[in-house]
Amino acid sequence: MKRTKIIDVLKSTEYGKEVCIKGWVRTHRSSKAVDFIALNDGSTIKNVQVVVDPAKFDEELLKQMTTGSCICAVGTLVESQGAGQTSEIQATALELYGGCDNNYPMQKKGQSFEVMRKNAHMRLRTNTFGAVMRIRHNMAMAIHTYFHEHGFYYFHTPLITASDCEGAGNMFQVTTKNLYDLKKDEEGKIIYDDDFFGEQTSLTVSGQLEGELGATALGAIYTFGPTFRAENSNTPRHLAEFWMVEPEVAFIDQEELMDLEEDFIKYCVRWALDNCKDDLEFLNKMIDKTLIERLESTVKSEFVRLTYTEGINILQEAIKNGKKFEFPCNWGDDLASEHERYLVEEHFKKPVIMTDYPRAFKSFYMKQNEPVSSATAPVDSVDGASIGYKGSVAPGPTMQGTDVLFPQIGEIIGGSVREESYDKLMSEIKRRQMDMTHLWWYIDTRRWGSCPHAGFGLGFERLILFVTGMQNIRDVIPFPRTPKSAEF
């Protein structure tokens, strides 16, 4: 008999019809008169109740249908007499596919998230992780749909690269060399001539640089794929392997970029509200009781647009009024998550797009703002560019960055207008004393047919954190990769 998914069984009102369902036992309550088996197949957060007359089935078979076991049930769809469900199945046939012994780690009693991370191969069968993974799927569908509807092309950038987009150097090397017998030159540096690619290569931290090439040919592209960072960080906001969404668009300026960022992320949140109702209601009840309210508020809110300088002034004013921060927040400091969350959760109580950051901690490819003419503006000690800040001496001009800050998360999007001028880009590369060996092709885009363009990167797992209300990024990806952990 053909199987019917549980999500379709629960929607059906064809009472009296015989159906076949297959799934995993959530609970099994037994008595002399009747057994109740709650069955779930992953198609919905909701279980279907299978009502069993124990007199009609083998006692040993029923004993084996414990929590976690996989079974097939055939029976008659009837209107449920119990509260909280519309339909149930009166079983006429049962088959055990796979049983579970008493050591099954995902028992009915609740487990901590730490215990479930140690059993990541089994945690996907729980209600919480089933809900998170269905929402993750829906967010991926929302992303592809949004960009397709807005004329973007899905552009595949390489996972193996010889360049470092971020310039941080925290990259996983890719090699076929014998690590026990490495050839080195007179200075002790590894020789890569005999390696697979003939040079040092790594797993990418971003597809942005290649994405810019796509945008300068196709007009608007987006990447959506795994990225890697060998950063020894054990915070609840970082992974070694994570997914990034990176659109790049030709012929847009900073204002248009912010419009795109806000519209895109609202579209994704609205998609979740429209398509993940049952899962969100479950997570709202079990994980974060303000989740749905926060999601709806995000869609309705007009994001605050705030310069870095204005943000620093707000934070310093908060400190004067008694607010305590762990990290400093003077002009020129890179804002910590606690600063970002204060702005969005306590001060504005809505998402913020922060712009115009100091050059000191932003990437070389960002477009610099033009110097501000002001007699009171301090002069940068490095290149003499005035920036119009009326505070302590600032470490350089500002860049046209556009970071989106969200409640509970902090930075969820990092974007910027890219520097299209060959001379200005080269000047910044030289100022930073960067190695141009592996950037020649990127620089060529500024030599031949350069154009104004901009883009951003969205951390996919951070989006899932926000939409699900989960607190640790390791709980929104099926198999997290973190320092000293690459199991499953």
Side-chain angles (χ1 to χ4, degrees), residues 142-154 222:
I143 288 163
H144 285 300
T145 303
Y146 178 88
F147 286 122
H148 179 69
E149 290 178 349
H150 287 77
F152 286 67
Y153 295 101
Y154 185 25
Y222 72 102

Side-chain angles (χ1 to χ4, degrees), residues 444-456:
D444 275 354
T445 63
R446 272 63 172 180
R447 295 175 60 207
W448 301 320
S450 183
C451 69
H453 62 288
F456 67 81

Side-chain angles (χ1 to χ4, degrees), residues 350-402:
K350 61 170 67 175
V352 170
I353 305 180
M354 184 169 281
T355 66
D356 305 319
Y357 290 86
R359 178 178 66 185
F361 54 81
K362 286 300 181 181
S363 298
F364 75 96
Y365 50 72
M366 290 190 181
K367 187 177 183 68
Q368 290 185 23
N369 284 311
E370 292 299 321
V372 176
S373 256
S374 172
T376 59
V379 176
D380 171 59
S381 59
V382 177
D383 60 12
S386 60
I387 59 167
Y389 174 65
K390 300 179 182 179
S392 57
V393 175
T398 58
M399 315 285 265
Q400 290 187 24
T402 59

Side-chain angles (χ1 to χ4, degrees), residues 3 32 36 62 66 83 96 106 115 138 141 163 165 208-209 222 229 277-278 316 329 363 370 383 389 421 454 457:
R3 171 202 170 207
K32 291 183 179 180
F36 297 103
L62 293 178
T66 57
L96 177 69
M106 300 295 117
V115 168
N138 269 280
M141 292 301 297
S163 61
C165 173
Q208 179 204 311
L209 300 188
Y222 72 102
R229 183 165 297 177
K277 183 174 181 290
D278 290 342
Q316 291 182 341
C329 56
S363 298
E370 292 299 321
D383 60 12
Y389 174 65
S421 165

